[in-house]
Coordinates of all heavy atoms in Angstrom, one line a residue:
L11 N 2.7 19.8 2.9 CA 1.3 19.6 2.7 C 1.0 18.6 1.6 O 0.2 17.7 1.6 CB 0.6 20.9 2.7 CG -1.0 20.7 2.6 CD1 -1.5 20.1 3.9 CD2 -1.7 22.1 2.4
A12 N 1.6 18.9 0.4 CA 1.4 18.1 -0.8 C 1.8 16.7 -0.4 O 1.2 15.7 -0.8 CB 2.2 18.6 -1.9
Q13 N 3.1 16.4 0.2 CA 3.5 15.1 0.4 C 2.5 14.4 1.5 O 2.2 13.3 1.3 CB 4.8 15.3 1.2 CG 6.0 15.6 0.2 CD 7.4 15.7 0.7 OE1 7.4 16.0 2.0 NE2 8.4 15.7 0.1
Q14 N 2.0 15.2 2.5 CA 1.1 14.6 3.4 C -0.2 14.2 2.8 O -0.8 13.2 3.0 CB 0.9 15.6 4.5 CG 1.9 15.8 5.5 CD 1.6 16.9 6.5 OE1 0.6 17.5 6.6 NE2 2.7 17.3 7.3
E15 N -0.7 15.0 1.8 CA -2.0 14.7 1.2 C -1.8 13.5 0.2 O -2.7 12.6 0.3 CB -2.4 15.9 0.2 CG -2.9 17.1 1.0 CD -3.3 18.2 0.2 OE1 -2.9 18.2 -1.0 OE2 -3.9 19.2 0.7
R16 N -0.6 13.4 -0.5 CA -0.4 12.3 -1.3 C -0.3 10.9 -0.4 O -0.8 9.9 -0.7 CB 1.1 12.4 -1.9 CG 1.4 11.2 -2.8 CD 2.8 11.5 -3.3 NE 3.3 10.2 -4.0 CZ 3.2 10.0 -5.4 NH1 2.5 10.9 -6.1 NH2 3.7 8.9 -5.9
L17 N 0.5 11.1 0.7 CA 0.6 10.0 1.7 C -0.7 9.6 2.2 O -1.0 8.3 2.4 CB 1.6 10.3 2.8 CG 2.3 9.1 3.5 CD1 3.1 8.3 2.6 CD2 3.1 9.6 4.6
A18 N -1.6 10.6 2.6 CA -2.8 10.3 3.2 C -3.7 9.6 2.1 O -4.5 8.7 2.5 CB -3.5 11.5 3.6
F19 N -3.6 9.9 0.8 CA -4.3 9.4 -0.2 C -4.0 7.9 -0.4 O -4.8 6.9 -0.6 CB -4.2 10.1 -1.4 CG -4.9 9.4 -2.6 CD1 -6.2 9.5 -2.9 CD2 -4.1 8.7 -3.6 CE1 -6.8 8.9 -4.0 CE2 -4.7 8.0 -4.7 CZ -6.1 8.1 -4.7
Q20 N -2.6 7.6 -0.3 CA -2.2 6.3 -0.5 C -2.3 5.3 0.5 O -2.6 4.2 0.5 CB -0.8 6.4 -1.0 CG -0.2 5.0 -1.6 CD 1.2 5.2 -2.0 OE1 2.1 5.3 -1.1 NE2 1.5 5.2 -3.3
L21 N -1.9 5.8 1.8 CA -1.9 5.0 3.0 C -3.4 4.9 3.6 O -3.9 5.8 4.2 CB -0.9 5.5 4.0 CG 0.5 5.5 3.7 CD1 1.3 6.0 4.8 CD2 1.0 4.1 3.4
Q22 N -4.0 3.8 3.2 CA -5.5 3.6 3.6 C -5.5 2.6 4.6 O -4.8 1.5 4.5 CB -6.2 3.3 2.4 CG -6.2 4.4 1.4 CD -7.0 5.6 1.7 OE1 -7.9 5.6 2.4 NE2 -6.5 6.8 1.1
P23 N -6.5 2.7 5.6 CA -6.6 1.7 6.6 C -7.1 0.3 6.1 O -6.9 -0.7 6.8 CB -7.7 2.4 7.6 CG -8.3 3.4 6.8 CD -7.2 3.9 5.8
L24 N -7.7 0.4 4.9 CA -8.2 -0.8 4.4 C -7.5 -1.3 3.1 O -8.0 -2.0 2.3 CB -9.8 -0.6 3.9 CG -10.7 -0.2 5.1 CD1 -12.1 0.0 4.6 CD2 -10.7 -1.3 6.2
A25 N -6.3 -0.8 3.1 CA -5.4 -1.2 1.9 C -5.2 -2.7 1.8 O -5.2 -3.3 0.6 CB -4.0 -0.5 2.0
S26 N -5.3 -3.4 2.9 CA -5.0 -4.8 2.9 C -6.3 -5.6 2.3 O -6.2 -6.8 2.0 CB -4.7 -5.5 4.3 OG -5.8 -5.2 5.1
S27 N -7.4 -4.9 2.3 CA -8.6 -5.4 1.6 C -8.9 -4.9 0.2 O -9.9 -5.3 -0.4 CB -9.9 -4.9 2.5 OG -9.7 -5.4 3.8
S28 N -7.9 -4.2 -0.3 CA -8.1 -3.7 -1.7 C -7.5 -4.7 -2.7 O -7.0 -5.8 -2.2 CB -7.4 -2.3 -2.0 OG -6.0 -2.5 -1.7
V29 N -7.4 -4.4 -3.9 CA -6.9 -5.4 -4.9 C -5.4 -5.7 -4.7 O -4.6 -4.7 -4.7 CB -7.2 -5.0 -6.4 CG1 -6.5 -6.0 -7.3 CG2 -8.7 -4.8 -6.6
I30 N -5.1 -6.9 -4.4 CA -3.7 -7.3 -4.2 C -3.3 -8.3 -5.3 O -4.0 -9.2 -5.6 CB -3.3 -8.0 -2.8 CG1 -3.7 -7.0 -1.8 CG2 -1.9 -8.3 -2.9 CD1 -2.9 -5.7 -1.7
T31 N -2.3 -7.9 -6.1 CA -1.9 -8.8 -7.3 C -0.9 -9.8 -7.2 O -0.8 -10.7 -7.8 CB -1.6 -7.8 -8.5 OG1 -0.5 -6.9 -8.0 CG2 -2.7 -6.9 -9.0
D32 N 0.0 -9.5 -6.2 CA 1.2 -10.4 -6.0 C 1.8 -10.4 -4.7 O 1.6 -9.3 -4.0 CB 2.3 -10.2 -7.1 CG 3.3 -11.3 -7.2 OD1 2.8 -12.5 -7.0 OD2 4.5 -11.1 -7.4
M33 N 2.5 -11.4 -4.2 CA 3.3 -11.5 -3.0 C 4.6 -12.1 -3.2 O 4.7 -13.0 -4.1 CB 2.5 -12.3 -1.9 CG 1.1 -11.7 -1.6 SD 0.3 -12.7 -0.3 CE -0.2 -14.2 -1.3
A34 N 5.5 -11.8 -2.4 CA 6.9 -12.5 -2.5 C 7.5 -12.6 -1.1 O 7.2 -11.7 -0.3 CB 7.9 -11.7 -3.4
Q35 N 8.2 -13.6 -0.8 CA 8.8 -13.7 0.5 C 10.3 -13.1 0.5 O 11.0 -13.3 -0.5 CB 9.0 -15.2 0.9 CG 9.3 -15.4 2.3 CD 9.3 -17.0 2.8 OE1 9.4 -17.8 1.9 NE2 9.2 -17.1 4.1
T36 N 10.6 -12.4 1.6 CA 12.0 -11.9 1.8 C 12.3 -12.0 3.2 O 11.7 -11.4 4.0 CB 12.1 -10.5 1.3 OG1 13.2 -9.9 1.6 CG2 10.9 -9.6 1.8
G37 N 13.4 -12.8 3.5 CA 13.7 -13.0 4.8 C 12.6 -13.6 5.7 O 12.0 -14.7 5.2
N38 N 12.2 -13.0 6.7 CA 11.1 -13.5 7.5 C 9.8 -12.8 7.3 O 8.8 -12.9 8.0 CB 11.5 -13.4 9.0 CG 12.5 -14.3 9.4 OD1 12.6 -15.4 9.0 ND2 13.5 -13.8 10.3
S39 N 9.8 -12.0 6.1 CA 8.6 -11.2 5.8 C 8.0 -11.5 4.4 O 8.6 -12.2 3.7 CB 9.0 -9.7 5.8 OG 9.6 -9.3 6.9
L40 N 6.8 -11.2 4.3 CA 6.1 -11.2 3.0 C 5.9 -9.9 2.5 O 5.6 -9.0 3.4 CB 4.7 -11.9 3.1 CG 4.7 -13.4 3.2 CD1 3.3 -14.0 3.3 CD2 5.4 -14.1 2.1
V41 N 6.0 -9.5 1.3 CA 5.7 -8.3 0.6 C 4.6 -8.5 -0.3 O 4.7 -9.4 -1.2 CB 7.0 -7.5 0.1 CG1 6.6 -6.3 -0.7 CG2 8.1 -7.4 1.1
A42 N 3.6 -7.6 -0.3 CA 2.5 -7.7 -1.3 C 2.4 -6.3 -2.0 O 2.7 -5.4 -1.4 CB 1.2 -8.0 -0.5
V43 N 1.9 -6.4 -3.3 CA 1.7 -5.1 -4.1 C 0.4 -5.2 -4.7 O -0.2 -6.4 -4.8 CB 2.9 -4.9 -5.1 CG1 4.2 -4.9 -4.4 CG2 2.8 -6.1 -6.1
G44 N -0.2 -4.1 -5.1 CA -1.5 -4.1 -5.7 C -1.8 -2.8 -6.3 O -1.0 -2.0 -6.9
E45 N -3.1 -2.5 -6.3 CA -3.7 -1.3 -6.9 C -3.1 0.1 -6.2 O -2.7 0.0 -5.1 CB -5.2 -1.3 -6.9 CG -5.8 -1.2 -5.6 CD -7.4 -1.1 -5.6 OE1 -7.9 -0.9 -6.8 OE2 -8.0 -1.4 -4.5
R46 N -3.1 1.1 -7.2 CA -2.8 2.4 -6.6 C -1.4 2.4 -6.1 O -1.1 3.3 -5.1 CB -3.7 3.0 -5.6 CG -5.2 3.1 -6.0 CD -6.1 3.6 -4.9 NE -7.4 3.2 -5.1 CZ -8.4 3.3 -4.2 NH1 -8.1 3.7 -3.0 NH2 -9.6 3.0 -4.5

């Protein structure tokens, strides 16, 4: 339950609209990181 609550808090449907600070290309993908 604790893991699910933590995951539910972090995995947000609007995460791609939250603050994003950087991106990097890897293979055929892009990886982005940001707040929280």
Side-chain angles (χ1 to χ4, degrees):
L11 182 60
Q13 290 175 339
Q14 289 176 4
E15 288 177 348
R16 176 187 174 92
L17 200 61
F19 173 77
Q20 189 182 67
L21 296 179
Q22 299 291 331
L24 298 179
S26 63
S27 299
S28 64
V29 176
I30 301 295
T31 51
D32 193 35
M33 297 180 287
Q35 188 171 27
T36 171
N38 292 322
S39 303
L40 285 179
V41 175
V43 299
E45 65 176 347
R46 302 180 201 163

